Amino acid sequence: MRRALVILAATLASLAVVALVVYLVFTGPGDIPAPSRDLATLTPEAHAELVQAGEYVARAGDCVACHKSPDGLSLAGGTPMETPFGTIYGSNITPSPSHGIAGYSADDLYRVMVYGIAPDGRRLYPAMPYTSYHAISRADNDALWVWLMAQEPVARANRPAELIFPFNLRPLLAFWNLIYRPAPPDQPNSGLTAADEDPLERGRYLVEVLGHCSECHTPRNLAYARQSDAHLQGYVIEDALAPDITPAALARRGWTAGDLARFLSEGLAPQGVMTFRMFPVLSHSTKYMTPEDITAVAAYLMQNAPAASPPLPRLEAITENPEGHQLYLGLCAGCHGAEGEGQPFGSVPLRSNTSAMFDNPLNLVRIIREGIPARHLTGFQRMQEMPAFDDRLEDAELTALVNYLRQRWGGHADELSLEAVRDIQE
Amino acid sequence: MSDSMLTVSMRINGSDTEPADLPEDLMLLEYLQEYLNLTGTRYGCGQGVCRACAVIHDGANGPEVIAACITGVAWANGRSFRTIEGHASRDIEGNVTQLTAVQQAFLDHFSFQCSYCTPGFVAAATALVERLEAAPVARDAVEETVLNALNPNICRCTGYVRYLEATRDVILSTPGLTTEEVAERDAQP
C-alpha cells in the first residue's frame, strides 16, 4: 500500500515536471518575422499611407465589434462576449499608457495577433480570435499597428473576465494553445496591403484570417475550440444560430455569389437582412470593404458551389396548417405580404428568407418573439422596426405560426412540437 | 389581394358587426374605413410605424394599442376594438355630447394642429389611462410612463410636448391612477 502511494506520488510529481517543462519550452510565442519596413523612420506621407491601410485592416478584421465600449467609443473596450464558461469583455486597445496598448511595439502586436500572448507573457482568452488572425501578414500587422497608435487614447479601465473555475486560470491556456493554436503558415498571404493577390486567395484571407468568420460559424468542441472537420458548418453562439455557410449549404438556401456580395455590402439580400451579431459586422466591417474585396469574399465562400436551389414554396401549408395561415395573414401579411413578397425599405420578403429554412428554429422563434429594431444599413438602405409579438402569441399560436413559415417557405414538411418551440429561451 | 374569402365578425365600439365575407388578407384599417365607414382611423405609413392608425384592442390582457394598418381581419376576427369614433359619449342621434378627459385635455392643451395623428394619440393615451386604473404608478414615474406609452406615435406638427403634457395632466388629476392618490384616498376615514 505504502509502495503504491510512493509510485503515485512519483508519477504525479513527474507529470507536474513534464507539464512545467512543456509550459516553459513549448507553449510560448513562436517566431516573429522581421517588420515589413522600418516603422521608426516613416516620412509623414508614408505614415499617412500606413494609417489609411491600417484602418482598412482594422475594418476587415472587425476589431470594433468586440473592442468598442458600451458607450460607443470604438476601441476603448468593454463589449461583453458570452461563452458557456462565463463572460469575457473586449479590452481597451486605444494607445492609452495607463489602460491601453501604448507600450506595444509592432512585434508585440504581432505576438498578440498570432500567438495570443501579451507583452507581459499573459495569455489571452481565445475569444480574441488569434487562432484565425494567426495567418495575418506582417505588412498588415504593421499597418494595423501604425493605425492603432494614431488613434485617440481613452483612459478607460479594462473589465476583468468573469469566468468559472478552472477556466479563469490563464496559464492553463498555454496547454490549450499547444493543442489548438495553429502555427502561422510558412508562406503567409501577402496581405491586404499588397495589391497583386489572386482574388480567390484574397477572399480566403479575408474570410479565414482577418474576417474570422469561422469563429462564430464553425461548431466548437468540448474544449471550445473550432472543429476543423466541420469548418463553417454553423453553430449556435450567443443565443443565435450562425448558419452553415459552406458553399453547398448556401446554395441550398438560394444564395448566389451576387446575393452574398449584396448582403455583405448592403446588409440586405433576397435571403434576408443582417440580424443578431451580423448587424454589427455590417456596421463596423463589411460595409466599408471595397467592391473588389466583397466580390472576393463572396467568390471564396461560394467556391465550387452547386447552382442555387432554394426550397420551393409549398402552398399545401395553407390547408395543412390553417391556424398558422390565419395568424400569418392577421399578424405578418400586413408588412410581409400575403405571398411573402415584403416591401422595399420596410420589411423583408419571406418567400426567399432563409430563417425559416434552417433546421434549427432558434432564429425564427426569437425574431417573432423579440422583433428587430429599425435598421440603418448601408447608404440610404434601411428597414423598419419589426414589432415583438411575444405578448400577442400564446405558445401554441407561436408554434403554429413557426411551423407554417417553415412549411410554406422553409422547405420543411415536418412539424415542430409545442415543447420544441416553447423551450427556446428568450 | 387574395381570392380567398373569410367570414368575419368583430365587436367595434361596443357593437357586433354583421358577419361579412372579406378577402382573407384584408387589413383591419381598410375594413373600418371601406366597409364600416369609420374613417376617423388614419392611414399613415402603412407599416405599423407611425401609429396614425392605432386603435384599442380590448383583449384578455386588458386594453392595448395595435396598428390597424398591419393587423389583418384574420386576426381581428372575433375580437373587440375601439376606434376614435367610440370614445366620446353620444346622444341617441349620434351627436357627441361629452368628450373623454383625454380628448378634452388634447383640446385644452392645443396638442395638435393638422390632427392627422390625433386618433392614434387618443387611443394610446386612453389605453394608458385605463391600464393605470388597474395598475397605478407613483406620481414621480408618470412623466416616464407617459413618454413610454406615447413614444411610438409620430406627430409632425406640434412636437409632442403638448400631447405629453395633456396626458400627464389627465393622469395626475384623475384619482386612482397614481399610487400616492391611492394612499391618500385610503387614508381618509
Side-chain angles (χ1 to χ4, degrees):
Chain A
M1 181 64 194
R2 195 189 170 91
R3 191 185 152 83
L5 279 179
V6 169
I7 292 174
L8 182 66
T11 314
L12 287 178
S14 34
L15 273 177
V17 169
V18 170
L20 191 66
V21 169
V22 168
Y23 179 79
L24 292 175
V25 179
F26 294 105
T27 68
D31 293 340
I32 295 179
S36 54
R37 60 199 287 182
D38 183 0
L39 296 167
T41 57
L42 293 170
T43 62
E45 293 77 29
H47 184 266
E49 222 168 82
L50 272 187
V51 166
Q52 202 178 3
E55 178 176 28
Y56 193 68
V57 173
R59 293 288 194 202
D62 201 1
C63 310
V64 176
C66 296
H67 287 287
K68 88 170 180 185
S69 69
D71 48 354
L73 293 169
S74 283
L75 304 167
T79 298
M81 275 153 282
E82 313 284 344
T83 77
F85 321 108
T87 305
I88 297 169
Y89 298 90
S91 57
N92 183 339
I93 55 167
T94 67
S96 155
S98 48
H99 300 293
I101 60 166
Y104 275 46
S105 65
D107 280 1
D108 290 337
L109 181 65
Y110 187 86
R111 193 185 302 105
V112 163
M113 293 284 287
V114 173
Y115 299 109
I117 300 177
D120 60 4
R122 193 171 41 98
R123 263 85 179 168
L124 273 69
Y125 289 107
M128 162 68 183
Y130 56 85
T131 62
S132 291
Y133 291 160
H134 79 282
I136 189 173
S137 84
R138 180 68 213 228
D140 283 1
N141 176 83
D142 293 347
L144 179 61
W145 179 78
V146 170
W147 178 76
L148 281 169
M149 292 304 155
Q151 301 310 298
E152 277 298 309
V154 179
R156 187 179 187 281
N158 282 315
R159 187 162 173 187
E162 293 151 9
L163 296 183
I164 53 172
F165 180 84
F167 304 101
N168 54 355
L169 303 175
R170 282 184 185 262
L172 291 181
L173 287 165
F175 298 99
W176 189 93
N177 286 343
L178 196 61
I179 305 170
Y180 297 113
R181 185 185 68 198
D186 294 334
Q187 296 279 314
N189 184 290
S190 48
L192 299 186
T193 39
D196 54 349
E197 197 71 68
D198 160 46
L200 210 55
E201 173 56 24
R202 195 173 168 96
R204 190 197 64 76
Y205 180 71
L206 283 163
V207 167
E208 305 291 1
V209 182
L210 292 182
H212 61 283
C213 306
S214 74
E215 296 286 338
C216 292
H217 286 278
T218 294
R220 291 177 180 270
N221 61 21
L222 283 177
Y224 216 57
R226 288 170 293 149
Q227 294 174 23
S228 50
D229 59 347
H231 190 59
L232 299 179
Q233 288 178 19
Y235 190 56
V236 172
I237 187 162
E238 292 192 313
D239 299 324
L241 174 70
D244 187 337
I245 53 168
T246 56
L250 287 169
R252 271 200 303 279
R253 300 199 301 271
W255 287 101
T256 63
D259 290 340
L260 209 50
R262 195 181 148 204
F263 188 63
L264 291 168
S265 55
E266 295 176 19
L268 186 69
Q271 290 77 12
V273 65
M274 292 272 191
T275 317
F276 300 122
R277 274 278 182 137
M278 273 311 278
F279 180 63
V281 172
L282 170 79
S283 312
H284 304 309
S285 179
T286 57
K287 80 175 181 186
Y288 295 100
M289 287 164 67
T290 63
E292 293 76 25
D293 280 350
I294 287 289
T295 307
V297 166
Y300 173 73
L301 286 171
M302 295 299 287
Q303 195 179 359
N304 301 325
S309 59
L312 296 173
R314 288 179 67 256
L315 281 175
E316 303 92 303
I318 295 170
T319 44
E320 287 168 6
N321 187 343
E323 188 189 7
H325 182 58
Q326 295 302 317
L327 286 166
Y328 179 78
L329 291 171
L331 296 178
C332 317
C335 293
H336 292 288
E339 306 298 324
E341 61 272 34
Q343 294 179 40
F345 304 104
S347 44
V348 295
L350 292 186
R351 59 185 172 195
S352 52
N353 193 283
T354 61
S355 296
M357 298 178 192
F358 305 133
D359 286 336
N360 187 334
L362 174 61
N363 293 1
L364 185 60
V365 169
R366 276 195 60 194
I367 289 165
I368 296 171
R369 271 189 184 151
E370 301 166 27
I372 304 178
R375 293 284 200 225
H376 284 221
L377 302 166
T378 308
F380 295 110
Q381 187 58 264
R382 60 200 59 208
M383 280 284 133
Q384 297 285 18
E385 174 190 357
M386 166 163 164
F389 286 91
D390 54 346
D391 57 350
R392 305 267 293 272
L393 290 166
E394 304 290 332
D395 287 341
E397 293 174 320
L398 179 63
T399 306
L401 180 57
V402 165
N403 276 323
Y404 174 79
L405 294 168
R406 286 165 60 90
Q407 289 160 346
R408 184 153 181 202
W409 291 302
H412 296 275
D414 60 331
E415 263 194 17
L416 296 168
S417 69
L418 176 77
E419 290 73 26
V421 172
R422 189 180 55 200
D423 291 347
I424 290 170
Q425 295 298 314
E426 280 174 57
Chain B
M1 183 74 45
S2 170
D3 295 334
S4 303
M5 304 296 274
L6 192 65
T7 306
V8 170
S9 171
M10 64 190 81
R11 177 164 286 228
I12 301 290
N13 299 329
S15 307
D16 291 330
T17 62
E18 289 294 322
D21 287 333
L22 305 175
E24 64 171 5
D25 59 348
L26 192 75
M27 292 297 127
L28 175 60
L29 178 61
E30 208 170 347
Y31 176 59
L32 294 173
Q33 294 197 343
E34 305 295 332
Y35 292 75
L36 302 181
N37 202 29
L38 296 174
T39 54
T41 306
R42 307 290 193 216
Y43 183 91
C45 68
Q47 295 175 332
V49 172
C50 75
R51 298 278 146 168
C53 69
V55 298
I56 297 175
H57 169 231
D58 288 303
N61 302 326
E64 55 176 3
V65 176
I66 61 142
C69 73
I70 57 162
T71 302
V73 293
W75 186 80
N77 196 7
R79 297 175 188 267
S80 178
F81 300 91
R82 270 178 287 159
T83 70
I84 189 63
E85 292 85 354
H87 287 262
S89 310
R90 290 171 190 267
D91 64 19
I92 203 156
E93 286 159 8
N95 302 311
V96 170
T97 54
Q98 169 93 53
L99 295 176
T100 66
V102 166
Q103 288 173 310
Q104 191 60 52
F106 284 176
L107 286 175
D108 295 344
H109 283 260
F110 299 96
S111 297
F112 52 88
Q113 287 178 22
C114 87
S115 85
Y116 203 79
C117 64
T118 308
F121 271 98
V122 170
T126 303
L128 171 63
V129 165
E130 292 175 2
R131 283 199 304 276
L132 292 178
E133 286 170 4
V137 295
R139 290 183 81 88
D140 59 5
V142 167
E143 193 92 27
E144 196 188 345
T145 307
V146 170
L147 183 57
N148 284 336
L150 302 191
N151 200 35
N153 294 56
I154 291 177
C155 164
R156 289 277 106 117
C157 299
T158 66
Y160 306 103
V161 174
R162 290 155 190 265
Y163 274 130
L164 298 173
E165 287 174 348
T167 310
R168 184 193 61 197
D169 284 4
V170 169
I171 291 168
L172 290 177
S173 63
T174 306
L177 301 185
T178 53
T179 45
E180 277 91 335
E181 285 287 344
V182 172
E184 280 171 23
R185 189 183 58 196
D186 288 352
Q188 286 171 6

